[in-house]
Amino acid sequence: MPSYTAPVKDIQFVLHDLLGVSASNIQGYDELEADFTGAVLEEAGKVASDVLAPINASGDIEGCTFEDGLVTTPKGFKEAFGVMKEGGWTGLDCDPEYGGQNMPYVLGTAVGEIFSGANQAFTMYHGLTHGAYSAIHAHGTTEQKAKFLPKMVSCEWTGTMNLTESHCGTDLGLMRTKANPQSDGSYKITGEKIFISAGDHDLSDNTIHLVLAKIAGGPDGIKGVSLFIVPKYIVKDDGSLGAANGVSVGSIEEKMGIHANATCVMVYNDSVGYLLGEEHKGMRAMFTMMNEARVGVGMQGLAQAEAAYQNAVIYAKDRLQGRDVTGAKNPDGPADPIIVHPDVRRNLMDQKSFVEGGRAFLLWSASLIDQVHRAGDADADGLVSLMTPVVKGFLTDKGFDMTVQAQQVFGGHGYIEEHGMSQFVRDARITQIYEGANGVQALDLVGRKLAVDGGKHVMAFFDLVKSFIKENEGDEALKADFLEPLKQASKDLQAAAMYFMQNGMKDPNHALAGSNDFMHLFGHTCLGLMWARMAKAANTALAAGASDTAFYETKLTTGRYYMARHLPATGMHLARIQSGADTVMALDAEAF
């Protein structure tokens, strides 16, 4: 069966060599010394390898069961959830007022990658709880926070988000779930939600659902949507649990992947709900959870790619097939290991260069989120908003591609369940769909985010790239392999943005038809920037006499591969964008 080892060394490189977290002036970053983060990551790695990874494949096979209205998780999940709670992992970056440890979001993201790489379906249970916690923490009343957050931080109670209905997914203004005001200030919630991850299970004593619904008499469409806290069991004033709340599970979905996470149809029948935030401002409150979830889903795509890559490397070094065309590398054996073959190397280098570049992009983005929340940086907030659809869309599209490539290394054995590679593919597939399908992410990026504040935030990104290139233009070790390719990628990205400005107003389809290509062009440019920065960090470490020269030399070689073999894709994406919408929209609907 597949194995998993936490990539602690590479995470440490990103945190300290690249981001220099302990030297940052962001509140709490001074505590992130290398010894401290190393200890946290090593311990998380032990939990991942010893507790979570061993129940990943078995959880996939067994799945969740639904009987007599109750959902049961696979064998070993309750015990593993106990380990997570006892270790305080569920509240790592939560508010200490409610029992959290107040660690920065960047460290929580790094730990999240480790846990998700070991067992994505399991990690979703407390990951979704964290999102619900964040929404209540940001928008709840003092009483609501005191009542719900302590037990959500500890995961004695878990949380969900309830948006989708059978007739509306992205277009939430069409929802039919109703909220009727009551004399005591509460609401009665009635309706049905689908695709609710971790909607019900046996891991916690209560589930705190965040439910979007429309208050009778409110505005039409999305402007009439409000957000409500709807607990599975009523919580009494003393914090103890009372009666069941008219919340039930209609069924659980049979899915392609994440079998061990219960995806439920949730039925609300005059359930008691409590308004979270303002009336008719539900999307504002829900997006606190959605934006966090989208970064988390980008992390999941990366984590599955890392796990699949690890197993592909092991197989490529062990599997004997054919001979190296330049001469036998295993002359005493019947054949050479397949890792000697150039196409297998290409495959593995694709994976390695994406995973390491994507990790840097993810953790850099997480540090920007800390800059917003811990330093009140409005510019960082604008950059995070711009980057969120890129983190979610690009890392999950490419993460899925990399799990397929890892499976390909195994040949026919990758298609056989015995080797477990299909689970990485199947589990990664959902990341392109939930929390806003990637096509919607691309539309959000081009249709909304580029123009925010007059394009200020995308211009800030261009300035980041330009400044890095200018600061290092005299560095011959970076120039040809890193700075010149990055400069070209940035030019391609700017040319694409200019095309949208010049043509999008005349015909919005010209912009929207190129949105997916733009998201990928942007993602490649971001990874190009990360690789250029990592190359500088690696060269700096080598010049300072770093003891592990092999690690830093490997980092440079991997970066050169990405810049030479993947970053040129920006030119392809630009050409597609500049071809416009005419060929995309040429056929009548009847012709399909």
Side-chain angles (χ1 to χ4, degrees), residues 29 82 121 127 198 258 304 344 346 364 394 448 484 490 495 512:
Y29 271 41
I258 57 169
Q304 293 307 297
V344 175
R346 173 203 57 79
W364 173 65
F394 183 73
R448 295 179 61 239
E484 292 301 328
S490 182
L512 301 184

Side-chain angles (χ1 to χ4, degrees), residues 458-521:
V458 74
M459 293 303 296
F461 178 79
F462 293 147
D463 286 342
L464 273 177
V465 177
K466 289 177 185 175
S467 296
F468 179 82
I469 292 172
K470 187 172 182 179
E471 289 166 8
N472 296 281
E473 59 188 358
D475 189 339
E476 292 300 321
L478 292 179
K479 189 172 183 179
D481 292 337
F482 292 95
L483 299 185
E484 292 301 328
L486 176 60
K487 185 184 295 185
Q488 184 58 55
S490 182
K491 286 180 179 178
D492 290 342
L493 185 62
Q494 291 176 66
M498 183 61 68
Y499 175 85
F500 291 152
M501 288 177 61
Q502 293 172 343
N503 296 276
M505 293 297 290
K506 301 173 190 174
D507 182 355
N509 282 338
H510 284 309
L512 301 184
S515 60
N516 185 269
D517 280 289
F518 187 80
M519 181 178 72
H520 279 255
L521 199 168

Side-chain angles (χ1 to χ4, degrees), residues 7 126 158 273 408 430 435 511 559 577:
H126 62 268
T158 51
Q408 188 74 15
I430 186 58
E435 308 305 345
I577 289 166

